[in-house]
Amino acid sequence: MRKSQKTEQADRQRMIGLEDQRQTGARSIASGEGEKMSGTQFQALVLARNNLNLAYQRVVRNKGAAGVDGMTVDELKPYLKVHREELLAELANGTYKPAPVKQVSIPKPNGGTRKLGIPTVIDRLVQQAVAQVLSPIYEQIFANNSFGFRPQRSAHDAVQQVVQLDNAGDHYVVDLDLKAYFDTVNHDMLMKFLKQRISDRWILRLIRRFLTSGTMNGQLFERSEKGTPQGGPISPLLANIYLNEFDQELARRGHEFVRYADDCNIFVKSPRAGQRVLASVTRFLEHELKLTLNQEKTQVVATNRMKFLGFTLGHTKGRAFPYPVWSAKQRVKQALRRLTKRNRGVSEDQIMAEIRQKMRGWLQYYSLGRMKRFITELDAWLRSRIRQYIWKQWKKAKTRENNLSGLGFTKDEAKLSANTRKGYWRTAHSKTLCRTLTNKELERRGLINLSQTLQQIQSA
């Protein structure tokens, strides 16, 4: 499922008026009348009431943490009521100065941390307004094989394109891993690429200020000499504009590829061809785009060994199909293990709600792949974890006896089972709990049926 499709469709309806204003500029690119948008009045488009209103709605809906000034999205509307004209004047006369972004680190699924830059909500509003104007223009020139951070395109689309290329006979990939891409984008190169199509000094100056606004790491200010910190609304678009140069170069060379943000796979027909392509594109990335490949993770592999957006490929009767990589399955199982840890000390209802929230999103994303057997096994394991947790919550023998009686045991059966000396995990698999805390009973208590949910998603 396309995670952002509904949001994008709703936004498109609200952007009709804005799109009409930009139609002339967009057509000039699409029709090849001129590559440079020299006639476009970006200031008027960015500061248009409709555009700013839409930007406000997006920022509020996306929520997010406060920046260095501590202002939350809930405080944005009261602030704008008082300072709206002042903000517009600063933007119009070029005196607007973005605040430093607040730097935070979040853990990566495979270990390590990723740096995020959180702009203030005011800066997010302005960035969103700029992105809404530039995005339709650059959508006209972005490659069809680029899928990340683009409207009406999703990770599922990228994975399906991978399947199509494998089915077409390209059974090997050059799996490129850019080292800290978002942190190493060269500002001067990015501005050069922007100037190739945009001559409006006002918007170029505004983008440069966002790039060089700096970061606050705790109480320490750090200058921004390179990079487009992840976390701001405009960063994904700028990252795509930068790598579009790479996309166009691959297209000129006749390569088949799929790119999602900085995750790129180039499809070839043999390992030998893959090594030649790898050597060639490495030179282009490092010399022309000033980017660095992670040599440890960059490799040429068969498609059934590739890892792309959490998926790999299997084959049956000569046709490819996606399925979740082993690490994705292990991560979700570890997450469920943490949620159902028997000494957590939270209510049964809370655990059921947390599991539903976690697994609905996970199943929605990985529903594109084949995993019926894994989900069936995970279902059985999860039920045992829940039975173990409930048995631990009952604690005393008398409580267990009463609960077992309430679930259909006779008084003698309940008393005998309540005084068992078996461990928690062994008891979770015993006839005692399988007869009382049945699958149906667990679902009545709120446990999600993973197999049934997956089937519903895939048949929708």
Side-chain angles (χ1 to χ4, degrees), residues 317-345:
K317 297 181 180 179
R319 306 294 292 177
F321 64 87
Y323 67 94
V325 297
W326 180 86
S327 57
K329 296 175 182 178
Q330 292 303 304
R331 282 197 301 270
V332 76
K333 193 169 184 178
Q334 288 301 319
L336 291 174
R337 193 186 301 276
R338 287 191 295 271
L339 290 178
T340 57
K341 193 175 180 180
R342 66 174 186 253
N343 61 356
R344 279 191 67 196

Side-chain angles (χ1 to χ4, degrees), residues 95-324:
T95 59
Y96 175 80
K97 186 177 180 181
V101 299
K102 180 180 179 180
Q103 184 173 293
V104 297
S105 297
I106 60 173
K108 291 183 179 179
N110 56 351
T113 58
R114 175 183 288 112
K115 293 181 181 179
L116 287 184
I118 305 176
T120 65
V121 290
I122 298 297
D123 289 341
R124 297 209 292 268
L125 172 68
V126 179
Q127 286 191 27
Q128 183 65 43
V130 172
Q132 287 169 181
V133 169
L134 292 183
S135 180
I137 293 173
Y138 277 94
E139 277 300 309
Q140 306 296 324
I141 63 171
F142 283 161
N144 287 332
N145 287 358
S146 165
F147 294 90
F149 310 125
R150 295 182 60 187
Q152 300 305 302
R153 287 170 175 254
S154 69
H156 281 189
D157 294 327
V159 174
Q160 288 171 336
Q161 180 70 9
V162 164
V163 172
Q164 291 178 19
L165 290 175
D166 183 87
N167 285 334
D170 295 327
H171 300 311
Y172 293 87
V173 295
V174 181
D175 187 355
L176 300 176
D177 187 276
L178 294 174
K179 192 173 184 179
Y181 168 65
F182 287 91
D183 299 328
T184 58
V185 168
N186 185 287
H187 289 174
D188 291 335
M189 295 287 291
L190 176 56
M191 296 308 300
K192 171 188 171 183
F193 298 148
L194 285 165
K195 290 175 183 177
Q196 289 174 355
R197 300 190 180 279
I198 297 173
S199 61
D200 188 301
R201 292 184 179 181
W202 178 84
I203 197 165
L204 291 172
R205 183 168 57 246
L206 182 58
I207 292 173
R208 171 72 84 165
R209 286 184 177 179
F210 277 121
L211 291 172
T212 59
S213 61
T215 61
M216 290 297 296
N217 189 356
Q219 298 297 316
L220 180 65
F221 173 80
E222 298 177 358
R223 295 182 61 185
S224 301
E225 297 180 351
K226 59 183 178 180
T228 57
Q230 298 181 72
I234 202 172
S235 294
L237 175 61
L238 296 180
N240 269 336
I241 290 173
Y242 199 90
L243 280 181
N244 184 58
E245 301 299 314
F246 183 52
D247 296 343
Q248 300 302 328
E249 179 65 19
L250 292 177
R252 280 192 291 271
R253 297 183 184 188
H255 293 314
E256 296 287 359
F257 68 96
V258 179
R259 182 175 68 81
Y260 191 95
D262 59 335
D263 196 348
C264 181
N265 282 317
I266 305 171
F267 284 74
V268 292
K269 296 189 181 300
S270 69
R272 189 173 180 180
Q275 293 298 336
R276 289 198 303 268
V277 171
L278 175 57
S280 177
V281 299
T282 298
R283 288 193 294 270
F284 180 84
L285 287 168
E286 294 183 347
H287 297 159
E288 301 298 326
L289 296 184
K290 312 300 182 186
L291 298 174
T292 303
L293 282 175
N294 187 331
Q295 298 298 335
E296 294 180 357
K297 295 183 179 180
T298 296
Q299 56 187 338
V300 178
V301 296
T303 52
N304 60 3
R305 292 179 54 212
M306 69 184 294
K307 295 180 181 179
F308 184 64
L309 303 177
F311 290 90
T312 188
L313 295 187
H315 296 86
T316 179
K317 297 181 180 179
R319 306 294 292 177
F321 64 87
Y323 67 94

Side-chain angles (χ1 to χ4, degrees), residues 38-101:
S38 56
T40 304
Q41 299 297 316
F42 284 101
Q43 180 175 320
L45 294 176
V46 171
L47 302 184
R49 179 181 291 272
N50 287 346
N51 189 48
L52 290 173
N53 287 342
L54 177 58
Y56 168 82
Q57 292 167 10
R58 291 294 299 272
V59 169
V60 172
R61 183 167 60 246
N62 292 338
K63 298 182 180 180
V68 294
D69 61 355
M71 183 186 299
T72 66
V73 291
D74 294 330
E75 297 171 313
L76 179 57
K77 187 174 182 179
Y79 175 89
L80 291 175
K81 284 183 177 179
V82 177
H83 300 283
R84 180 179 181 277
E85 296 304 322
E86 177 186 343
L87 175 62
L88 290 175
E90 288 181 357
L91 286 167
N93 61 33
T95 59
Y96 175 80
K97 186 177 180 181
V101 299

Side-chain angles (χ1 to χ4, degrees), residues 379-388 390-391 394 404 407-409 417 422 424-443:
D379 246 337
W381 176 84
L382 180 58
R383 292 186 188 110
S384 295
R385 294 284 298 183
I386 293 297
R387 290 183 181 113
Q388 175 185 239
I390 294 173
W391 186 252
W394 288 348
L404 290 173
L407 290 169
F409 266 23
S417 298
K422 293 178 182 178
Y424 292 111
W425 188 240
R426 188 175 176 186
T427 303
H429 293 83
S430 69
K431 292 182 180 179
T432 297
L433 293 191
C434 289
R435 282 177 55 196
T436 52
L437 294 175
T438 62
N439 295 354
K440 186 175 181 179
E441 171 63 18
L442 292 178
E443 288 182 38

